[in-house]
Amino acid sequence: MAKIAVLGYGVVGSGTVEVFYKNKESLEKKAGQELDIKYILDVRDFDDSPYKEKFTKDFNVILNDPEVTVVAEVIGGLKPSYDFVKSSLMAGKSVVTSNKELVAAKGAEFLAIAKEKNVNFFFEASVGGGIPIIKPLHACLSANEIDEIAGILNGTTNFILTKMIRDGMDFEKALKIAQELGYAERNPSADVDGHDACRKICILASLAFGKHVYPESVHTEGITKITLEDVEYCDSSDCKIKLIGCAKREDQGKISIGVFPAVIRDESQLAGVNDVFNAILVRGDATGDVVFYGKGAGKLPTASAVVSDIVSAVKHANTSKSLTWADSAQDFIKDFGDFRCASYIRLTAKNVEVTKAVIKALFGEVTYLSRKNQPENELAFITGVMSENETVKAAEKVSDGAEILGRIRVLDY
Ligand code: HSE
């Protein structure tokens, strides 16, 4: 019999307990032994819960109980999760977590402790909600050198962008619905400013390239500057705007990595990913492109990944060797100024013909876009591929009464 403790009874924690008891019988067959949740840790009272006798407010009760061999941390954030996870691993308990902030910040440290203590540290639920991606990346695709990863990694922003594209809904209203549906982080800035997607691409890049990538080293932009006008220009030229996290193997052992809204052509496998769905494209040197798709947020999809990790941790007790990466200085991350891509640019001009000549001089040949009810003095165009530094420099030189209203990178996946 394996005894489990669930830390946190919020959206994911309550989903974890629900999925666990709903499928307990089949989980036990898969784990090869009886399973039970012995404790649920939460600071709140749940007197009406059918599991009320399992609740504790004292983490030390769990830590000091030798019967508990697997701890599921689903509290989120760094405090107190960091201390709970670290002390659980140090005490020889396996830990599974959905906490991307914690894994992105402390993954290398926890993986090293897990290895030393011969226990597991699993985090399938930290990226892509219910989509299996961590295990496929480190196990099923292990024959490959991973050349590139690009993903729609945040359900909330994808939900908001979908509402803007399909319904012309404004940003605030779409965010409110996402929050009501339980997709959004406690602080919506983590979603809309790109930090959540950043943590997830850090975890994937660390796994794919073998060295810890810290969120502070990643150029990160959110979706708050995207307007309905941008959405219309892109839609009328068969493109969609998506928040993309991407990481790519570069020369001399370096990688490029970033999170930003991107214009994607409709033919791309990522362009048709809508609502709360996530998709992660992995480009392996043997497989070519493999795309993982599914619900990237929400109670039960995320709980699915947590519970699967619990079963794996029970089934493969005393192993954690295949899932690993090294801690590192961040000198293998290429300067984002060298990142190369085309750009969509929207601007207002005092004199359209003069500004078109300026654009040609600064950006070379560009492709102009149009939209319904386009104001006479507004231009939107797509440049050729340039480095980030070159694009920023050229944009700064736009003059003669023209003002840039927005720029979105164009990616080719
Ligand atoms: N807030 C996150 C999202 C939850 O919207 O994707 C899942 O990590």
Side-chain angles (χ1 to χ4, degrees):
M1 159 84 86
K3 298 270 173 92
I4 296 133
V6 176
L7 313 185
Y9 200 63
V11 174
V12 180
S14 58
T16 297
V17 174
E18 182 180 332
V19 172
F20 180 89
Y21 282 109
K22 180 167 174 279
N23 297 338
K24 186 168 179 287
E25 211 173 302
S26 79
L27 296 174
E28 287 175 332
K29 279 194 196 129
K30 288 165 195 162
Q33 58 183 292
E34 280 182 66
L35 306 171
D36 202 10
I37 293 174
K38 186 166 181 183
Y39 301 107
I40 303 170
L41 180 80
D42 204 291
V43 288
R44 297 163 295 176
D45 293 311
F46 292 90
D47 294 336
D48 298 333
S49 165
Y51 312 110
K52 67 172 186 246
E53 77 286 356
K54 297 181 190 294
F55 279 90
T56 175
K57 292 180 181 171
D58 184 359
F59 173 67
N60 287 319
V61 170
I62 295 167
L63 189 64
N64 296 326
D65 186 336
E67 269 196 342
V68 174
T69 52
V70 180
V71 172
E73 186 277 310
V74 285
I75 301 169
L78 297 179
K79 275 187 178 177
S81 302
Y82 171 77
D83 291 335
F84 290 172
V85 169
K86 188 169 177 178
S87 45
S88 298
L89 291 170
M90 297 293 284
K93 301 179 195 296
S94 287
V95 173
V96 311
T97 182
S98 59
N99 188 338
K100 53 257 160 167
E101 188 176 354
L102 189 62
V103 180
K106 304 288 180 186
E109 181 183 346
F110 291 150
L111 286 165
I113 300 173
K115 196 168 184 185
E116 188 196 315
K117 297 288 175 186
N118 218 24
V119 293
N120 292 302
F121 177 61
F122 290 153
F123 41 89
E124 187 63 64
S126 66
V127 181
I131 307 171
I133 177 64
I134 301 294
K135 204 174 206 178
L137 196 54
H138 85 83
C140 315
L141 292 171
S142 62
N144 291 257
E145 288 296 329
I146 304 299
D147 291 325
E148 205 161 340
I149 301 175
I152 294 172
L153 298 167
N154 182 268
T156 301
T157 46
N158 205 38
F159 182 86
I160 293 171
L161 289 171
T162 304
K163 289 283 177 210
M164 289 173 78
I165 294 166
R166 284 196 180 153
D167 307 336
M169 186 182 282
D170 70 40
F171 179 88
E172 294 299 335
K173 191 164 178 207
L175 172 60
K176 192 161 177 282
I177 301 175
Q179 285 172 318
E180 281 162 12
L181 290 169
Y183 302 150
E185 298 297 304
R186 270 176 291 186
N187 175 359
S189 160
D191 294 302
V192 300
D193 293 326
H195 305 303
D196 179 74
C198 173
R199 290 162 189 152
K200 291 165 178 168
I201 195 68
C202 286
I203 295 170
L204 296 178
S206 302
L207 203 50
F209 303 119
K211 290 181 188 172
H212 195 117
V213 179
Y214 288 93
E216 301 74 37
S217 321
V218 177
H219 177 93
T220 302
E221 290 172 36
I223 62 163
T224 52
K225 291 185 188 145
I226 304 296
T227 65
L228 286 173
E229 288 82 3
D230 298 325
V231 165
E232 278 179 39
Y233 277 116
C234 293
D235 213 22
S236 67
S237 22
D238 302 324
C239 295
K240 296 285 174 288
I241 301 171
K242 297 284 174 192
L243 183 68
I244 300 288
C246 53
K248 187 176 177 187
R249 175 187 303 282
E250 303 280 2
D251 294 339
Q252 295 163 345
K254 296 216 168 193
I255 65 162
S256 56
I257 184 163
V259 175
F260 43 80
V263 176
I264 303 280
R265 298 193 192 282
D266 278 352
E267 307 92 73
S268 163
Q269 299 195 72
L270 299 179
V273 176
N274 290 313
D275 295 315
V276 73
F277 284 86
N278 285 191
I280 300 134
L281 181 152
V282 180
R283 192 165 285 171
D285 65 348
T287 54
D289 289 357
V290 183
V291 179
F292 299 84
Y293 172 84
K295 280 192 179 158
K299 180 174 170 169
L300 296 183
T302 310
S304 153
V306 175
V307 173
S308 302
D309 272 354
I310 290 174
V311 172
S312 293
V314 169
K315 204 167 155 186
H316 305 289
N318 311 322
T319 58
S320 67
K321 296 184 177 76
S322 62
L323 176 55
T324 187
W325 64 66
D327 204 351
S328 67
Q330 301 295 277
D331 53 0
F332 68 109
I333 297 173
K334 229 176 134 175
D335 189 322
F336 193 70
D338 296 329
F339 188 86
R340 294 184 68 76
C341 65
S343 292
Y344 154 95
I345 293 175
R346 183 167 71 93
L347 49 73
T348 51
K350 260 199 183 128
N351 180 322
V352 166
E353 288 317 311
V354 169
T355 297
K356 278 191 169 175
V358 170
I359 290 168
K360 188 163 182 193
L362 293 172
F363 295 97
E365 291 299 335
V366 299
T367 307
Y368 283 96
L369 312 182
S370 59
R371 68 176 175 102
K372 253 197 245 165
N373 306 322
Q374 180 175 350
E376 266 176 23
N377 65 340
E378 187 177 81
L379 292 172
F381 59 92
I382 292 186
T383 69
V385 172
M386 299 163 71
S387 79
E388 185 68 18
N389 284 339
E390 288 164 347
T391 312
V392 170
K393 225 188 219 168
E396 277 167 2
K397 287 188 186 149
V398 168
S399 57
D400 292 311
E403 189 193 342
I404 294 196
L405 300 173
R407 173 193 164 211
I408 309 174
R409 294 174 191 85
V410 179
L411 294 181
D412 194 15
Y413 287 111

